[in-house]
Amino acid sequence: SSRGNRNVPQDEMTDSVTTEEISSEENNDGDSDDDILYFMHGQCAGFIQFDKNSVLTFDDLRKNARGLSNKMGAYTLLRYGETNAWVPNRAELIGKGTRTVLTKKSKAIDKLYNFFSGERCTLPQNSRSILAACDLLAYGCGDEAKFIITTGTCKAIFLAMGIDGISNEAISKALPKRDAIARDEQYLAALSRVVRRQEMRDDNVKYLGGETDHGKRGGLDHLVFPVSWIAKTTKDGEFGLKLKSHVISTNHTGGSAHATALGVQKAMENLAKFDEPTEESIKLKVLTGDTGGGGAIQNLIVEVKRLQVMAQECAFGNCLLHGLNKPMENACIAVFGKQGIGHRTCWQLLYLWTLLRKRVKLESDVKHLNQMWAEVVKKVRDTNSQWRKLAEECMPQLLNEFLDEIKTLEERIVELNTTGDTEDAKKAQEELLKMTTEYPKNIRDPVFSRWQTTDACARPFLRFFVVNYFFCVAIVKSKSSQSYLVKIAKAM
């Protein structure tokens, strides 16, 4: 009988199968105790009558069986692999592997809700260190602003995930506040120092090379002092060397050689605090830095030796990037003369152009600058304008180069559209519009002590030389003669 089939729910058998499902001819009156409703293999059903002393064979059951619907009351017959199972209609048949994955995800969501249900931040320290590392890159950003950014990020992610059960207040309570952010940054700094000191210990470092450079951020002078060392490496059985570095100081110091030497001494003493009791402190053996200013390396090396931060036989080297740039500076001065106020040199012209671009952005918005630039380009291209005639007379080569570049782009756009290369044609069109309707931007200031900055500024200036000239003319005509911007334009 069906009571022997575990796949069939016993409380639904007699209620779910009706006379229509089996056969009205076989259901008779249904009052006899000898009437049997049975199921076979979970797929077939039958109804049979027999006397008390009758013998019921399996062939009788098979012959009298009828096909069974896959629905039976509150249950549905489902197949899982080679097995048939009756599953409640409100349930779903899934495998153990899928159930494990769903359970794991459910626990993660529960953990998320629990995290945002408390009254204070319960983030583990390693997670807070990640936040602190990212916060340190937000230069000039206050702790309150960092907190708001983190809160907004969480809110945005929850909205994207469809999680609406976590309120703004709950998010703010669960994240580290201003004081906690400051403590986490200090913890991260100490942790980083401990890790790097242990790395030096593992690399068996005895001596370090140091670099000094002065920076100024937010009006505050400070000394940047990274140290470097060589570590032995082995990869795929091959021996090698690797250069490693670590910034051990960004402390506030003065700009003189003595003040810089005191900053170096303090940085090395702080590094020694992470030594083990029986461990010998790492020594500073090589030092390099800028060759100009009060903290120039040739002056600094004398002070650090006097303070016994370095041994007397230690070496020092000039900054190679400054060394590469110095010959170029000397050659330019010899050919063009010195730059500065009152000097008429090409480098002074670049400086004035840089100053003009900065000043004009303060007095006009980007939209107005672009309109001025487009109007000047339009007049330069107009063969009947006075500006065009003046350019043809005074600067024909630069004018022709500018007009030829525009003509080349226009011809390329026509050619690409003809061949069906719409993507490249669109890019060429954007380049043409940028050249003729947008004021130049993202140009590095020319500084002799910064390698290749003069070239980076000179290229766009020469490219738009004609437009730059008449742009200055437009400023002189449209602004008051007492304006500082007009004075710069006249000087150019």
Side-chain angles (χ1 to χ4, degrees):
S1 74
S2 61
R3 290 190 295 271
N5 189 341
R6 297 182 179 181
N7 289 329
V8 182
Q10 305 302 319
D11 58 341
E12 296 290 343
M13 286 192 299
T14 56
D15 295 336
S16 61
V17 181
T18 63
T19 55
E20 287 80 14
E21 289 176 336
I22 302 176
S23 174
S24 59
E25 292 106 7
E26 297 177 6
N27 198 11
N28 294 341
D29 57 3
D31 294 330
S32 172
D33 292 338
D34 297 327
D35 298 345
I36 292 181
L37 177 66
Y38 63 90
F39 302 92
M40 297 175 59
H41 310 300
Q43 294 179 329
C44 301
F47 189 87
I48 195 168
Q49 292 180 323
F50 66 101
D51 297 333
K52 292 181 179 180
N53 297 325
S54 299
V55 177
L56 184 62
T57 65
F58 185 74
D59 289 338
D60 294 331
L61 298 177
R62 182 184 300 170
K63 187 185 299 181
N64 204 48
R66 298 289 186 272
L68 183 65
S69 172
N70 62 349
K71 293 286 186 181
M72 189 173 65
Y75 291 81
T76 302
L77 182 65
L78 297 177
R79 187 174 183 84
Y80 186 78
E82 298 181 355
T83 305
N84 296 305
W86 289 96
V87 180
N89 293 336
R90 294 184 178 182
E92 184 178 357
L93 182 64
I94 60 174
K96 287 185 177 180
T98 305
R99 181 179 180 277
T100 301
V101 173
L102 293 176
T103 301
K104 187 176 180 180
K105 291 182 177 179
S106 176
K107 289 181 179 179
I109 294 296
D110 291 340
K111 191 174 182 180
L112 178 67
Y113 275 96
N114 290 335
F115 171 73
F116 285 98
S117 62
E119 294 295 323
R120 56 187 295 273
C121 177
T122 58
L123 269 176
Q125 187 59 56
N126 57 347
S127 299
R128 290 165 63 171
S129 294
I130 294 175
L131 290 176
C134 296
D135 288 343
L136 289 172
L137 298 178
Y139 298 122
C141 184
D143 292 338
E144 289 291 348
K146 296 174 184 177
F147 169 72
I148 293 174
I149 292 172
T150 308
T151 304
T153 302
C154 292
K155 184 65 176 179
I157 293 174
F158 293 160
L159 287 176
M161 294 175 62
I163 299 176
D164 54 3
I166 302 177
S167 65
N168 297 341
E169 183 180 2
I171 297 175
S172 65
K173 289 180 179 179
L175 295 176
K177 306 298 187 297
R178 181 177 58 184
D179 295 341
I181 291 174
R183 289 195 302 270
D184 291 341
E185 291 176 353
Q186 294 172 355
Y187 175 86
L188 178 64
L191 178 63
S192 301
R193 180 60 55 83
V194 170
V195 171
R196 295 298 273 176
R197 182 63 183 89
Q198 182 59 46
E199 189 175 349
M200 295 177 189
R201 192 176 291 115
D202 295 338
D203 292 336
N204 196 27
V205 176
K206 301 298 182 183
Y207 301 101
L208 294 172
E211 307 165 44
T212 61
D213 195 8
H214 282 86
K216 190 170 186 178
R217 188 175 296 278
L220 181 65
D221 292 319
H222 57 272
L223 171 67
V224 181
F225 183 51
V227 294
S228 305
W229 69 95
I230 298 292
K232 297 178 181 179
T233 61
T234 304
K235 185 177 181 180
D236 299 331
E238 295 185 1
F239 173 79
L241 298 175
K242 183 178 181 180
L243 179 64
K244 296 183 178 182
S245 61
H246 177 54
V247 179
I248 64 173
S249 173
T250 54
N251 295 324
H252 169 65
T253 63
S256 66
H258 180 69
T260 304
L262 291 175
V264 173
Q265 183 184 40
K266 182 178 179 181
M268 293 302 296
E269 289 176 351
N270 288 338
L271 180 63
K273 294 179 181 179
F274 294 87
D275 295 340
E276 295 180 352
T278 59
E279 188 176 25
E280 184 179 357
S281 296
I282 297 179
K283 307 297 183 182
L284 187 63
K285 194 169 186 178
V286 181
L287 192 64
T288 185
D290 291 346
T291 55
I297 185 62
Q298 62 269 24
N299 302 323
L300 176 61
I301 192 68
V302 177
E303 292 294 328
V304 293
K305 288 183 177 180
R306 188 178 65 80
L307 294 174
Q308 297 183 354
V309 179
M310 297 178 66
Q312 296 298 320
E313 66 275 8
C314 291
F316 75 96
N318 298 334
C319 175
L320 292 182
L321 289 180
H322 287 76
L324 289 172
N325 220 53
K326 202 65 178 176
M328 177 184 174
E329 178 185 355
N330 293 336
C332 290
I333 292 175
V335 175
F336 304 116
K338 292 184 177 181
Q339 61 177 348
I341 298 175
H343 293 277
R344 298 171 60 88
T345 69
C346 57
W347 304 122
Q348 185 63 18
L349 181 61
L350 287 182
Y351 169 76
L352 290 173
W353 185 52
T354 302
L355 195 61
L356 179 77
R357 286 188 295 107
K358 292 180 178 179
R359 189 71 185 186
V360 78
K361 289 178 182 178
L362 295 176
E363 299 190 12
S364 303
D365 57 16
V366 176
K367 183 179 180 180
H368 182 231
L369 288 177
N370 290 341
Q371 290 174 349
M372 286 184 62
W373 185 264
E375 188 65 26
V376 172
V377 172
K378 182 180 178 181
K379 287 188 176 182
V380 169
R381 297 181 67 185
D382 184 3
T383 56
N384 296 321
S385 70
Q386 293 182 351
W387 287 2
R388 172 65 176 269
K389 294 177 180 178
L390 181 61
E392 290 175 347
E393 180 182 351
C394 299
M395 50 193 87
Q397 180 180 347
L398 292 168
L399 174 64
N400 292 333
E401 290 177 357
F402 177 71
L403 296 177
D404 289 345
E405 185 176 356
I406 294 178
K407 183 179 179 181
T408 301
L409 281 173
E410 291 175 338
E411 292 175 350
R412 176 170 172 76
I413 293 170
V414 174
E415 180 184 352
L416 292 172
N417 285 326
T418 303
T419 57
D421 196 347
T422 56
E423 191 67 27
D424 288 343
K426 184 178 179 181
K427 293 180 180 179
Q429 182 67 36
E430 291 175 353
E431 185 179 352
L432 178 61
L433 286 174
K434 182 178 180 181
M435 179 180 179
T436 57
T437 63
E438 293 185 13
Y439 188 73
K441 55 186 178 181
N442 299 328
I443 300 173
R444 294 182 64 184
D445 295 344
V447 182
F448 268 129
S449 59
R450 294 292 177 263
W451 183 239
Q452 293 184 339
T453 58
T454 48
D455 286 351
C457 181
R459 290 177 186 276
F461 178 76
L462 291 174
R463 182 189 182 194
F464 301 115
F465 186 91
V466 178
V467 185
N468 283 324
Y469 176 82
F470 289 108
F471 193 85
C472 291
V473 174
I475 291 176
V476 172
K477 289 185 176 182
S478 61
K479 299 285 185 179
S480 169
S481 59
Q482 301 300 319
S483 170
Y484 182 59
L485 191 60
V486 171
K487 294 180 180 180
I488 299 174
K490 286 185 175 180
M492 288 184 63

